[in-house]
Amino acid sequence: MSFSQNSPSHRRDNDMEAGASRSGVGMNDGDESSSDPFDITSTKNVPIERLRRWRQAALVLNASRRFRYTLDLKREAERKQRIGTYKAHVQAVQAAYRFRAAGAQENETLRPPPPPPTGDFAIGQEQLALLSRNHDVLTLEQYGGVNGLSNLLKTNLEKGIQGDEPDLLKRSAAFGSNKIPPKKGRSFWMFLWESWQDLTLIILMIAAVASLVLGIKTEGIKEGWYDGGSIAFAVILVIFVTAISDYKQSLQFQNLNKEKRNIHMEVIRGGRRIEISIYDIVVGDVVLLNIGNQVPADGILISGHSLAVDESSMTGESKIVHKDSRKPFLMSGCKIVDGSGTMLVTSVGMNTEWGLLMSSISEDTGEETPLQVRLNGVATLIGMVGLSVAVSVLVVLLVRYFTGHTKNSVGNPQFIAGKTKAGDAIDAAIKIATIAVTIVVVAVPEGLPLAVTLTLAYSMRKMMADKALVRRLSACETMGSATTICSDKTGTLTLNQMTVFEAYVGEKQIYSPDKSELSPKLSALLIEGIAQNTTGSVYMSEGGGDVEVSGSPTEKAILFWGVRLGMNFEAVRSDSSVIHVFPFNSEKKRGGVALQLPDRQVHIHWKGAAEIVLASCTRYIDATDQVVMMDEYKMIFFQNAIENMATRSLRCVAIAYRSYELEEVPSDEEQLAQWALPENDLVLLAIVGIKDPCRPGVKDAVRLCQNAGVKVRMVTGDNIQTAKAIALESGILGSDADATEPNLIEGKTFRDLSDTEKEETAERISVMGRSSPSDKLLLVQALRRKGHVVAVTGDGTNDAPALHEADIGLAMGIAGTEVAKESSDIIILDDNFASVVKVVRWGRSVYANIQKFIQFQLTVNVAALIINVVAAVSSGDVPLNAVQLLWVNLIMDTLGALALATETPTDHLMQRPPVGRRESLITNIMWRNLLIQALYQVTILLVLHFGGRSLLNLKGDTTEHANKVKNTLIFNSFVLCQVFNEFNARKPDEFNVFEGITKNYLFIGIVGLTVVLQVIIIEFLGKFSSTVKLSWSQWLISIVIGFMSWPLAVIGKLIPVPETPLSKFFPRFQRR
């Protein structure tokens, strides 16, 4: 066993706050093989049976409180059953109406439309709800299709609704709002009721009532009610403080859950595209749907291109449904998995099937975290020891009492067989039982697992200010163990503020777009391709003014460039009609559109990754406006142009087109939907270089991660040279010498490796360019097999598998699709890599704060148990009575958790390697600190217990008063020791325990409150706490005893601790 303090491994293994180095390398998450029910390293996708097992193994005094923030297994089963019932109902209704529609078509009979309702609109909510819920195509036809329905709803399908305040109010009044009434949260009284359901507190209340009855009977009501009444008051105080703390904690979770559900969508109002909250959508709105969106309300398709919807959330069928004029109905809550389109909203909120389903189930059924499970294991172990001690104390005290070895204040036996009254004997037995039960209350750290939830709730609220929304509790703490971050480039490492910086149009290089520089034919084709092959839009108000461009950052950059070339967006789009669209695909890295011109010509335009589109080009337009063949020289010229722009960190996009025969275009709607746009023999129109600058501070953030032992890897779909340039700029690559394979690799190269080669290569990859979402998934899988804890950022729908597979999935809040966000664990609200690093800091802080609390609580546990056991065995009396122990329990449990679990992250956390997920929770440093403090407290207080009368010069007092003063001083010194030790717990491995204390107002407030209440208890509540007033000199003695904890802690930190964790010598408990 080595005691070296200078080796790096020693510094890593023994740094308590930052955690230990990764110890699980080479181990996957196969927790199934573990015999320890509390050994769960990840609760993401863990089987229900594993969760049930640890619950059954835990020693619990108050199950309703202990398991409040874990997954409610019963409610989860009910939720799944109810969802299944709703899905079956939806399927049955749709099947019935399909059958009825088929019958109506056969008989060629149409029902007359229902009478128009009175009001602002020519159609009522009931009719719309039936239409949407039943997918009634026949009724839709009677209304005149989507055009006729839009007229009834006073909606312009091109420009949307007016969208002013009066219009929105009318629509909300007529058709309701898109809000689902929130389920009423549990009231404070529910938390109070749960706090009562602690077995030991119930026993104490019964004992208090019995003591009260016997006391009044023997001593009269004036004096006899103090013993029982004080215990009852202390129990009630504990219950109320616990309930208040738990209630405030639940309110934090409720507020965070509201943020999770607030989705933003694009709608068209007054001819403009605007982004609004899903809650603000009204009937009649025209909603834009793109791949990855969630359908925000029930509606009918206006127009769509290759629009595919996953309806499994409503129907239970995993089959993807393609939407067109024959299947125009869209259901709220479903996901767009491909294509794009626009939708007319027909029902919102509680008038949709989704609304009814969401209102009937409890979405938040809780979730446990790995740390929470492990702490239940620690609490169970400590609780068993405490329970054994309590039983021992009970037996010893009862035996001593009934054998006459317990003396009263004057030295006479308290029990004499045949002489002591039955009532006195029962009262004494009740007091002994009360002390034993109170020891159990103190010994079983019921609040220890709940401290995780407290610190997570606090961290989640603070992380919102740091632009991170936590969707899964466990992700917050798992982030502290992350060993690698696979980050996107665009928008995460860069600003996502794109502008066309340079372009090659035809064969000419241009920097500032000028229409006069371009030939007429090239200009017309280029503008046509820019305006039609886009999911963005350009809006210009009738009175002129600034142009408003919407769409993705890349689309916006190209559209702005088109406007500067003289593009009239609306005019160009009205000059031709769209035949078919191939939406941009991250696998193929291009998107296309087929157009029919007025002269029956067909143009097919493509836009995408420059080298990929260029590879499909066989011609280009020269300076004389002629289409000429692309020879080898010209191909090399354009390839060099792409590489030249890419090395200057420009994103390269090529625009090309080809003509096509109208007769060869499929005429059937179904065949047209499946038509693969021709992508060969293209004519190159332009290659644009788009500048997307690195985010300020990203280099510092990357360096911070590297110093913290977290490797940052860039995974991007961009050109390998562009990726290299940004990686060098951001510090992911140190120099050009690092930019060699496999540090720098293309997705295809990695994809073609064997599984073994993938694992070996994955360790070394720093940058992966031209990667697809499936390459990202393969990288994540390879890294996890090598034992890494992987965090992944993603924004696209196709990133969902990688986000789901990773230990921590981080979706982008601005650029991210709804599908990506739902697959993620944390949403980065500002898409900034610096915010990802802040999440790592908070993750480490959660672990460090819990360890601080464990050290503090175990010190109190060990000291209180040893003092009472030794005193009970040796003298038959205990210096700390039931009321005093309950007050100590309140300090160490609820108040201690609030003070220590809410410490903010420090820079010290990011100067050490990641927290090991399988490291022992109680490190060697913690053992050293708590044993030194506990030994000091036990020694001093036992010395006072056995020699206090002489040391305090109390020999002249009566024995009864001297004992009361002595026991009061012991109690006061013990509490003040905990107050001073609470400061030590803040910095377990640092000498300056006061650093940053002025920023933690909660800590200062709790310490101040504890001291004030202690003074009140000693000086004014002596009858309740069985204490007497202390003199100034006795207060000074108590303070000095407590103060000595500080210099003792400093001396203790000079003592080296072994590198090998003590838990290694106890394999059964090594992972707790």
Side-chain angles (χ1 to χ4, degrees):
M1 195 181 287
S2 170
F3 285 85
S4 165
Q5 295 189 78
N6 299 318
S7 70
S9 62
H10 169 84
R11 291 197 300 273
R12 282 197 303 270
D13 289 342
N14 293 327
D15 186 294
M16 208 290 303
E17 186 173 289
S21 60
R22 188 161 45 93
S23 67
V25 175
M27 302 167 84
N28 58 27
D29 295 324
D31 291 315
E32 289 299 324
S33 60
S34 174
S35 60
D36 184 353
F38 301 106
D39 180 27
I40 299 178
T41 57
S42 173
T43 54
K44 192 172 182 178
N45 310 316
V46 72
I48 293 292
E49 193 49 46
R50 290 282 285 131
L51 301 180
R52 187 173 284 112
R53 223 173 84 189
W54 79 258
R55 285 165 172 75
Q56 292 167 348
L59 174 65
V60 181
L61 300 178
N62 186 344
S64 58
R65 182 169 184 249
R66 176 79 74 88
F67 299 136
R68 179 184 299 132
Y69 294 111
T70 60
L71 182 68
D72 189 325
L73 302 182
K74 184 180 177 184
R75 199 188 298 176
E76 178 67 6
E78 289 173 356
R79 190 177 81 91
K80 287 180 178 177
Q81 185 179 7
R82 192 164 293 184
I83 288 173
T85 304
Y86 262 95
K87 287 177 179 179
H89 169 72
V90 170
Q91 283 181 304
V93 168
Q94 290 181 6
Y97 271 85
R98 280 197 295 270
F99 177 77
R100 202 177 77 182
Q105 285 176 349
E106 192 176 320
N107 298 325
E108 297 182 351
T109 58
L110 289 174
R111 295 161 294 167
T118 57
D120 293 309
F121 299 94
I123 189 169
Q125 175 52 54
E126 194 176 327
Q127 294 160 281
L128 285 172
L130 282 171
L131 178 71
S132 299
R133 206 169 287 165
N134 300 330
H135 291 202
D136 196 342
V137 178
L138 292 178
T139 303
L140 178 63
E141 288 173 4
Q142 291 177 63
Y143 287 133
V146 69
N147 287 300
L149 195 58
S150 68
N151 292 333
L152 297 176
L153 292 171
K154 299 181 181 178
T155 298
N156 184 311
L157 293 181
E158 296 293 326
K159 297 185 177 181
I161 61 173
Q162 291 177 14
D164 54 14
E165 195 66 28
D167 184 35
L168 295 175
L169 288 172
K170 278 183 188 176
R171 292 176 185 276
S172 294
F175 305 111
S177 68
N178 202 29
K179 292 177 182 174
I180 299 165
K183 278 197 172 281
K184 198 172 180 182
R186 285 191 292 186
S187 67
F188 170 73
W189 305 110
M190 283 294 292
F191 286 94
L192 195 63
W193 171 250
E194 284 185 359
S195 299
W196 273 99
Q197 295 173 39
D198 186 313
L199 181 61
T200 50
L201 295 183
I202 293 169
I203 293 170
L204 284 176
M205 283 301 289
I206 293 169
V209 171
S211 179
L212 192 65
V213 171
L214 285 168
I216 293 171
K217 185 179 177 182
T218 55
E219 298 178 47
I221 195 164
K222 191 173 182 181
E223 295 291 328
W225 69 277
Y226 281 115
D227 283 348
S230 58
I231 294 171
F233 176 77
V235 170
I236 291 167
L237 181 66
V238 168
I239 287 167
F240 265 90
V241 172
T242 303
I244 291 167
S245 172
D246 291 348
Y247 178 62
K248 289 186 74 175
Q249 200 171 316
S250 76
L251 292 178
Q252 289 184 3
F253 283 116
Q254 283 179 29
N255 294 332
L256 288 166
N257 284 333
K258 285 178 187 173
E259 287 293 331
K260 288 183 201 175
R261 291 189 282 266
N262 191 9
I263 301 166
H264 283 77
M265 298 288 295
E266 269 196 325
V267 299
I268 301 174
R269 287 182 179 175
R272 301 168 65 184
R273 284 192 188 192
I274 59 171
E275 192 174 274
I276 63 170
S277 165
I278 193 172
Y279 300 132
D280 297 329
I281 287 174
V282 294
V283 169
D285 258 325
V286 174
V287 179
L288 298 158
L289 299 173
N290 288 302
I291 184 169
N293 287 157
Q294 177 177 309
V295 180
D298 284 357
I300 294 170
L301 184 68
I302 299 170
S303 64
H305 304 292
S306 307
L307 191 69
V309 182
D310 177 5
E311 294 184 345
S312 60
S313 59
M314 286 306 300
T315 64
E317 295 180 353
S318 56
K319 183 181 173 185
I320 302 302
V321 180
H322 293 271
K323 296 294 178 179
D324 51 32
S325 58
R326 291 177 299 177
K327 294 179 182 175
F329 291 98
L330 293 153
M331 288 189 287
S332 178
C334 299
K335 305 291 187 301
I336 308 297
V337 294
D338 200 7
S340 61
T342 54
M343 173 187 96
L344 176 67
V345 175
T346 55
S347 291
V348 293
M350 293 300 292
N351 295 310
T352 67
E353 286 286 352
W354 180 255
L356 291 171
L357 175 59
M358 288 297 102
S359 66
S360 69
I361 62 172
S362 175
E363 191 174 344
D364 183 20
T365 55
E367 172 214 350
E368 51 255 72
T369 72
L371 197 50
Q372 202 174 9
V373 176
R374 292 175 71 192
L375 282 174
N376 270 285
V378 172
T380 298
L381 179 60
I382 297 169
M384 286 176 176
V385 173
L387 201 57
S388 304
V389 168
V391 170
S392 303
V393 169
L394 178 66
V395 172
V396 168
L397 289 180
L398 286 174
V399 169
R400 285 186 66 95
Y401 177 78
F402 285 108
T403 56
H405 287 82
T406 304
K407 313 291 184 186
N408 59 21
S409 58
V410 293
N412 296 324
Q414 288 186 5
F415 179 82
I416 301 172
K419 292 184 179 181
T420 304
K421 292 179 183 178
D424 292 340
I426 293 170
D427 190 35
I430 287 172
K431 286 178 181 176
I432 291 169
T434 301
I435 290 168
V437 172
T438 309
I439 288 173
V440 176
V441 174
V442 176
V444 179
E446 196 72 5
L448 191 55
L450 293 172
V452 183
T453 319
L454 177 65
T455 191
L456 285 172
Y458 171 79
S459 301
M460 285 167 70
R461 185 163 52 85
K462 291 290 185 181
M463 284 165 73
M464 279 291 289
D466 283 341
K467 304 300 180 186
L469 172 63
V470 179
R471 296 186 73 253
R472 281 173 52 87
L473 268 180
S474 58
C476 188
E477 70 183 46
T478 307
M479 202 64 185
S481 303
T483 59
T484 185
I485 300 171
C486 299
S487 173
D488 285 337
K489 175 186 77 69
T490 306
T492 308
L493 297 169
T494 63
L495 283 168
N496 219 6
Q497 295 173 359
M498 301 191 188
T499 52
V500 175
F501 183 77
E502 181 182 337
Y504 286 80
V505 182
E507 53 188 342
K508 193 174 191 180
Q509 184 179 13
I510 63 172
Y511 290 95
S512 101
D514 186 351
K515 191 176 181 180
S516 62
E517 292 185 39
L518 306 181
S519 60
K521 180 178 180 180
L522 178 56
S523 175
L525 285 168
L526 184 57
I527 286 172
E528 181 183 84
I530 292 170
Q532 290 285 21
N533 189 16
T534 181
T535 55
S537 71
V538 178
Y539 173 80
M540 187 175 287
S541 59
E542 294 177 5
D546 292 338
V547 173
E548 291 181 22
V549 177
S550 62
S552 70
T554 306
E555 295 279 15
K556 285 165 73 173
I558 294 172
L559 286 170
F560 263 122
W561 188 65
V563 170
R564 291 172 67 192
L565 283 172
M567 175 182 73
N568 185 325
F569 186 76
E570 293 298 336
V572 174
R573 286 176 73 89
S574 62
D575 283 346
S576 56
S577 59
V578 175
I579 300 172
H580 184 58
V581 173
F582 178 82
F584 179 84
N585 185 297
S586 55
E587 293 285 345
K588 290 199 168 188
K589 301 198 180 300
R590 57 183 177 269
V593 62
L595 308 172
Q596 182 176 337
L597 278 58
D599 58 3
R600 294 180 60 79
Q601 285 190 65
V602 173
H603 285 173
I604 297 173
H605 287 272
W606 285 97
K607 178 177 68 184
E611 69 271 26
I612 293 174
V613 172
L614 179 63
S616 299
C617 293
T618 56
R619 293 168 292 168
Y620 69 100
I621 297 178
D622 66 7
T624 63
D625 229 11
Q626 299 300 309
V627 177
V628 294
M629 295 301 294
M630 191 177 296
D631 56 20
E632 188 178 350
Y633 170 78
K634 273 298 174 189
M635 181 63 78
I636 292 170
F637 169 78
F638 287 122
Q639 286 172 346
N640 288 340
I642 293 169
E643 190 163 335
N644 178 263
M645 287 192 284
T647 53
R648 287 179 288 127
S649 71
L650 299 182
R651 168 180 268 197
C652 301
V653 176
I655 301 169
Y657 102 106
R658 64 163 291 171
S659 56
Y660 201 68
E661 296 299 325
L662 182 62
E663 291 73 24
E664 294 183 30
V665 176
S667 54
D668 179 71
E669 187 177 352
E670 194 169 329
Q671 289 180 337
L672 185 63
Q674 302 299 320
W675 183 39
L677 289 181
E679 50 189 330
N680 60 324
D681 198 23
L682 302 182
V683 178
L684 181 67
L685 299 176
I687 300 171
V688 295
I690 300 172
K691 183 71 176 173
D692 183 16
C694 258
R695 286 184 180 272
V698 75
K699 194 165 188 174
D700 292 336
V702 169
R703 189 186 302 113
L704 192 62
C705 276
Q706 290 167 343
N707 292 339
V710 181
K711 184 176 175 67
V712 181
R713 308 168 198 267
M714 180 199 294
V715 184
T716 177
D718 271 354
N719 183 293
I720 194 81
Q721 295 301 326
T722 307
K724 173 187 167 184
I726 294 291
L728 287 167
E729 195 177 341
S730 62
I732 292 174
L733 290 174
S735 64
D736 279 312
D738 296 331
T740 56
E741 200 170 299
N743 283 0
L744 181 71
I745 195 170
E746 282 202 345
K748 186 180 184 305
T749 307
F750 181 73
R751 196 185 314 147
D752 293 339
L753 298 174
S754 68
D755 286 347
T756 307
E757 289 172 328
K758 280 192 186 84
E759 288 178 25
E760 296 304 317
T761 306
E763 291 267 26
R764 298 178 59 190
I765 290 173
S766 294
V767 178
M768 185 186 286
R770 278 290 174 249
S771 67
S772 66
S774 59
D775 297 330
K776 185 187 283 188
L777 176 61
L778 290 171
L779 177 61
V780 171
Q781 290 170 336
L783 288 169
R784 290 192 74 215
R785 284 197 298 271
K786 291 294 285 183
H788 284 279
V789 179
V790 186
V792 170
T793 70
D795 52 19
T797 300
N798 292 335
D799 286 331
L803 290 168
H804 188 266
E805 176 73 18
D807 295 283
I808 314 103
L810 303 156
M812 299 297 105
I814 299 170
T817 64
E818 206 51 43
V819 170
K821 289 175 187 176
E822 286 216 351
S823 298
S824 72
D825 305 302
I826 298 173
I827 299 172
I828 305 300
L829 299 173
D830 62 353
D831 293 13
N832 191 342
F833 184 77
S835 298
V836 176
V837 179
K838 287 176 184 175
V839 173
V840 176
R841 277 165 58 98
W842 278 108
R844 294 186 176 195
S845 178
V846 167
Y847 194 85
N849 287 350
I850 292 304
Q851 288 189 309
K852 293 170 189 177
F853 180 56
I854 291 172
Q855 179 183 307
F856 173 69
Q857 191 170 56
L858 286 187
T859 305
V860 185
N861 273 5
V862 171
L865 289 178
I866 293 176
I867 290 165
N868 271 7
V869 168
V870 173
V873 171
S874 59
S875 65
D877 188 21
V878 287
L880 300 172
N881 63 34
V883 173
Q884 293 166 0
L885 283 173
L886 285 171
W887 169 233
V888 169
N889 182 65
L890 201 59
I891 293 172
M892 85 172 178
D893 214 8
T894 306
L895 298 179
L898 278 169
L900 293 170
T902 55
E903 285 278 331
T904 53
T906 62
D907 292 335
H908 177 66
L909 292 169
M910 296 300 284
Q911 293 166 4
R912 293 292 185 269
V915 176
R917 290 207 294 190
R918 290 183 177 271
E919 290 298 320
S920 173
L921 276 171
I922 308 173
T923 65
N924 289 358
I925 285 177
M926 291 170 67
W927 279 121
R928 178 194 65 194
N929 295 345
L930 76 88
L931 288 175
I932 287 171
Q933 293 295 332
L935 186 63
Y936 164 70
Q937 291 177 22
V938 168
T939 304
I940 291 292
L941 299 182
L942 285 179
V943 166
L944 284 174
H945 179 67
F946 292 112
R949 287 188 66 184
S950 58
L951 290 170
L952 298 170
N953 294 320
L954 299 173
K955 288 188 176 179
D957 290 5
T958 63
T959 305
E960 186 177 359
H961 184 261
N963 281 338
K964 279 197 172 183
V965 172
K966 178 194 71 174
N967 286 343
T968 300
L969 187 72
I970 290 172
F971 168 55
N972 199 39
S973 301
F974 185 65
V975 169
L976 290 179
C977 277
Q978 310 323 318
V979 170
F980 282 94
N981 193 38
E982 210 157 355
F983 287 85
N984 294 329
R986 289 187 70 243
K987 305 286 181 182
D989 53 351
E990 295 178 59
F991 289 103
N992 184 5
V993 296
F994 304 105
E995 185 184 349
I997 198 164
T998 54
K999 296 177 183 176
N1000 193 340
Y1001 301 119
L1002 190 59
F1003 182 91
I1004 295 169
I1006 285 170
V1007 168
L1009 178 67
T1010 305
V1011 171
V1012 168
L1013 289 175
Q1014 180 65 14
V1015 171
I1016 292 170
I1017 288 169
I1018 298 295
E1019 296 298 318
F1020 303 104
L1021 298 176
K1023 284 280 189 182
F1024 282 96
S1025 57
S1026 301
T1027 57
V1028 293
K1029 290 185 179 183
L1030 296 178
S1031 65
W1032 284 109
S1033 61
Q1034 289 162 348
W1035 268 103
L1036 188 61
I1037 291 168
S1038 300
I1039 292 168
V1040 169
I1041 290 171
F1043 176 81
M1044 288 304 294
S1045 299
W1046 286 352
L1048 195 65
V1050 172
I1051 295 167
K1053 286 169 186 174
L1054 296 172
I1055 301 171
V1057 294
E1059 290 183 20
T1060 307
L1062 293 180
S1063 57
K1064 298 288 182 186
F1065 301 106
F1066 306 98
R1068 175 171 167 73
F1069 304 114
Q1070 83 174 52
R1071 288 176 184 167
R1072 291 185 188 170

